[in-house]
Amino acid sequence: MKIILLGPPGAGKGTQAKILAKKKNLAHISTGDLLRQNVSESTGLGEKARNFMDRGALVPDELVTQMLIQRISQPDTKNGFILDGYPRNLTQAKELDEMLKTHDTRIDLVLYLDTSMPVIIQRLTGRLVCSQCGLNFHIKNMPPKKDMLCDNCGGELYQRTDDNEQTIKKRLAVYKKEFSPLIEYYGKKRKLHRLSADKEAEEVLNKIMQLIEGYNDSLKV
Ligand code: AP5
């Protein structure tokens, strides 16, 4: 199964994708995580991407798409994948379709995690991420059991450099500009399902699971 999670920064795409990937045995592909890994390892791609990410701008399509093509061809995607953070604009959506067509496959579901502005700001300004396993926490909503240490692996938690007020504003502006054409694109293809992501993480997950099961049932008839 191939799923896209769409939604603004802070919608909970990464949080939900990590749980879903385990439950459904799918690869979790986060272009944000892949780019941050390249930045921290100072690869050629990371050096090019750093400046865009620090400003809250999109990294150029050709760099991200090339990275995605490589990631999608890894063996762990055989059973399917969850895309988190890609596509980000119409060009990427079309490139993704082309790429999948060459593998004789397609996207099954596009889940739009609709989130209100106050919730987005509250989540991003309180987010903590594990430096080792990448698990997400939140100072208030999902606090770690031990101060600034990951419950899963004991790694140190940190705040993302783009989770500051100025960069959050820019990321949201970019999102607002690009998201309507994307929603329209997947709406026309009848793949889009909207759900409210303002709710508790477990409630959001249950809704996602219902949508996946509904889709699987529709394939049986
Ligand atoms: P990326 O890493 O993709 O960031 P983003 O889209 O801004 O999304 P976030 O990771 O901020 O939010 P999320 O929805 O995953 O929320 P999370 O689960 O963490 O991209 C970063 C940058 O990389 C971009 O700005 C761009 O420069 C570049 N980039 C990436 N992809 C690109 C592409 N395709 N093309 C070009 N450039 C690209 O949750 C947030 C917080 O809320 C956490 O603390 C979590 O614990 C908490 N939380 C989550 N769900 C709930 C809930 N239901 N209730 C309460 N708290 C919750």
Side-chain angles (χ1 to χ4, degrees):
M1 183 166 224
K2 297 175 185 68
I3 301 173
I4 294 175
L5 293 185
L6 283 186
K13 303 181 294 293
T15 302
Q16 297 295 340
K18 284 188 176 77
I19 304 171
L20 267 182
K22 272 198 185 145
K23 271 187 180 282
K24 293 283 172 193
N25 188 26
L26 301 170
H28 170 206
I29 303 182
S30 158
T31 44
D33 286 352
L34 290 171
L35 287 166
R36 278 184 288 279
Q37 192 185 338
N38 275 279
V39 169
S40 76
E41 290 168 3
S42 296
T43 65
L45 169 60
E47 289 307 311
K48 286 180 192 149
R50 187 194 305 271
N51 185 261
F52 294 97
M53 295 174 80
D54 284 347
R55 285 187 285 121
L58 290 185
V59 175
D61 292 336
E62 60 275 18
L63 296 180
V64 182
T65 301
Q66 199 48 45
M67 177 183 78
L68 188 79
I69 291 173
Q70 282 171 12
R71 180 63 187 89
I72 278 183
S73 60
Q74 300 292 309
D76 68 328
T77 63
K78 272 221 170 82
N79 193 40
F81 52 75
I82 304 165
L83 286 180
D84 154 16
Y86 192 102
R88 265 322 216 264
N89 57 30
L90 200 53
T91 307
Q92 292 185 5
K94 289 179 178 170
E95 280 173 348
L96 176 64
D97 280 348
E98 285 305 309
M99 191 193 313
L100 294 178
K101 219 186 265 175
T102 63
H103 289 88
D104 208 17
T105 183
R106 63 193 159 87
I107 292 295
D108 296 290
L109 281 175
V110 181
L111 305 178
Y112 166 36
L113 306 190
D114 195 3
T115 321
S116 66
M117 199 51 70
V119 169
I120 291 172
I121 303 295
Q122 192 268 358
R123 286 187 188 166
L124 291 181
T125 49
R127 169 165 52 193
L128 298 170
V129 185
C130 176
S131 53
Q132 283 182 33
C133 72
L135 201 64
N136 281 325
F137 294 85
H138 189 281
I139 291 168
K140 283 201 179 123
N141 308 352
M142 302 175 185
K145 291 188 184 115
K146 285 190 192 157
D147 194 27
M148 295 307 277
L149 292 179
C150 177
D151 294 355
N152 182 44
C153 71
E156 269 186 44
L157 304 184
Y158 72 99
Q159 198 162 24
R160 268 170 50 176
T161 52
D162 58 351
D163 279 348
N164 63 73
E165 205 182 319
Q166 200 188 350
T167 314
I168 289 172
K169 274 189 193 155
K170 176 72 187 177
R171 285 158 63 200
L172 286 170
V174 170
Y175 173 77
K176 277 188 189 154
K177 179 170 166 267
E178 305 288 356
F179 107 108
S180 299
L182 265 186
I183 296 289
E184 202 179 321
Y185 182 74
Y186 288 117
K188 277 188 187 152
K189 289 180 177 280
R190 306 179 76 83
K191 290 182 189 288
L192 187 75
H193 298 264
R194 179 200 160 276
L195 56 139
S196 168
D198 276 359
K199 306 204 166 81
E200 296 265 327
E202 203 177 325
E203 214 177 313
V204 178
L205 180 68
N206 288 340
K207 184 69 197 170
I208 293 176
M209 292 300 287
Q210 275 175 22
L211 288 166
I212 293 176
E213 273 146 34
Y215 176 79
N216 285 336
D217 287 345
S218 75
L219 295 180
K220 288 179 197 153
V221 281

